[in-house]
Amino acid sequence: MSAPAGTAARTRPAPPGVALPIGPRTAAVLALASLAGLMMLCWPLLLQAEPGQRVEPPFVFLVLLPLVMVVVLAEMGEGGMDSRVLAVLGVLSAINAVMRGLGAGTAGIELVFFLLVLGGRVFGAGFGFVLGCTSLFASALLTAGVGPWLPFQMICAAWVGMGAGLLPRRVTGRAEIALLVGYAVVASYLYGMLMNLSSWPFSLGIAVPGHEGSLSYVAGAPLLDNLHRFGVYTLLTSTGGWDTGRAVTTAVAIVVLGPAILTTLRRAARRAVVTGAGR
């Protein structure tokens, strides 16, 4: 006798889901926080100024962005992060902080991003956003790396974790690992580009050997001209070195450790979701 149709459906492996789905209000808060971070990074390119005018960074962004992140953390805590999920968040943040101290970014070797990508993949975009913030903040405290660059690092890492949570869910097995590797490589280069953009407008007299002319930001210059200078600056100073090292390190870590860590995180996620479902 053949098995009932429903039996085959039950034995078929289900695609991985989001352990912590976000609601409309949390999604709106994440969108506003991302918009604030994007404005903080891109404002020099959109600034209307006289050619040659000295541009000062709007320090109000450096004050407001951490406040926005606090609102995001509070919203995520109110929207479904129970004690077990917070415990997982704390453990992953602590591990990331320690690993970042071990790598210290030497030659682009970053040991933070692979766990950030895997955590965002399992727990969803909101958790990935928060994990990016807390990981970079904790590592800055651990390594005495607190400075005006920290809000930029936090928002860029938050986008890496959030993006991992937004990847297609119905991909499993080796295809999932391949998807995560591809995403990690792209995210590693984008992270380096955005971090360059956070400091490039305030670097004066940039001259790179082998390239004629200055690659410095010019206030009031046409947008495309500044984008061209920034693109060349990024390619010559970080893409082939720091960013490639970050991409290779993250990709190798996902291939080697990804399957085991995904299984562990999903086991923890199932327990956390059971707790949240009883509310």
Side-chain angles (χ1 to χ4, degrees):
M1 180 182 294
S2 62
T7 303
R10 285 195 298 269
T11 59
R12 189 178 304 145
V18 180
L20 291 174
I22 58 177
R25 190 174 68 176
T26 303
V29 172
L30 290 175
L32 289 175
S34 297
L35 180 60
L38 195 61
M39 290 176 59
M40 186 177 73
L41 286 166
C42 297
W43 69 267
L45 298 175
L46 306 176
L47 181 68
Q48 298 294 327
E50 296 295 329
Q53 178 181 342
R54 182 178 176 81
V55 177
E56 297 291 343
F59 293 104
V60 64
F61 280 152
L62 299 181
V63 176
L64 289 180
L65 187 59
L67 295 178
V68 172
M69 292 180 179
V70 169
V71 173
V72 173
L73 292 172
E75 178 63 27
M76 290 299 300
E78 191 175 321
M81 279 194 180
D82 60 14
S83 58
R84 295 190 183 188
V85 179
L86 289 175
V88 173
L89 176 65
V91 169
L92 294 182
S93 299
I95 294 174
N96 265 343
V98 173
M99 290 196 301
R100 189 162 189 251
L102 294 176
T106 304
I109 299 176
E110 290 278 7
L111 301 176
V112 173
F113 291 91
F114 87 95
L115 195 55
L116 178 57
V117 169
L118 298 180
R121 172 65 175 174
V122 172
F123 287 94
F127 183 93
F129 188 98
V130 176
L131 179 60
C133 293
T134 55
S135 295
L136 271 293
F137 183 74
S139 68
L141 294 179
L142 188 65
T143 60
V146 178
W149 54 83
L150 180 57
F152 297 103
Q153 293 176 335
M154 290 173 63
I155 189 63
C156 291
W159 286 334
V160 172
M162 183 174 68
L166 297 175
L167 293 174
R169 309 306 304 181
R170 300 189 65 85
V171 182
T172 59
R174 294 182 179 178
E176 182 182 26
I177 297 300
L179 174 67
L180 294 177
V181 167
Y183 170 77
V185 170
V186 173
S188 296
Y189 283 107
L190 288 177
Y191 178 87
M193 182 187 70
L194 291 174
M195 287 306 302
N196 284 340
L197 183 59
S198 69
S199 59
W200 170 71
F202 314 111
S203 302
L204 302 178
I206 300 175
V208 178
H211 181 272
E212 296 183 0
S214 173
L215 296 176
S216 300
Y217 166 76
V218 178
L223 174 62
L224 292 180
D225 290 351
N226 272 326
L227 284 176
H228 173 73
R229 278 188 286 269
F230 172 70
V232 175
Y233 167 78
T234 296
L235 287 173
L236 295 180
T237 59
S238 70
T239 299
W242 294 85
D243 299 342
T244 298
R246 183 186 302 111
V248 171
T249 302
T250 307
V252 170
I254 290 177
V255 170
V256 175
L257 302 175
I261 293 179
L262 283 173
T263 300
T264 302
L265 291 178
R266 282 176 176 142
R267 187 178 298 119
R270 284 194 294 270
R271 295 175 181 177
V273 169
V274 170
T275 301
R279 292 185 179 185

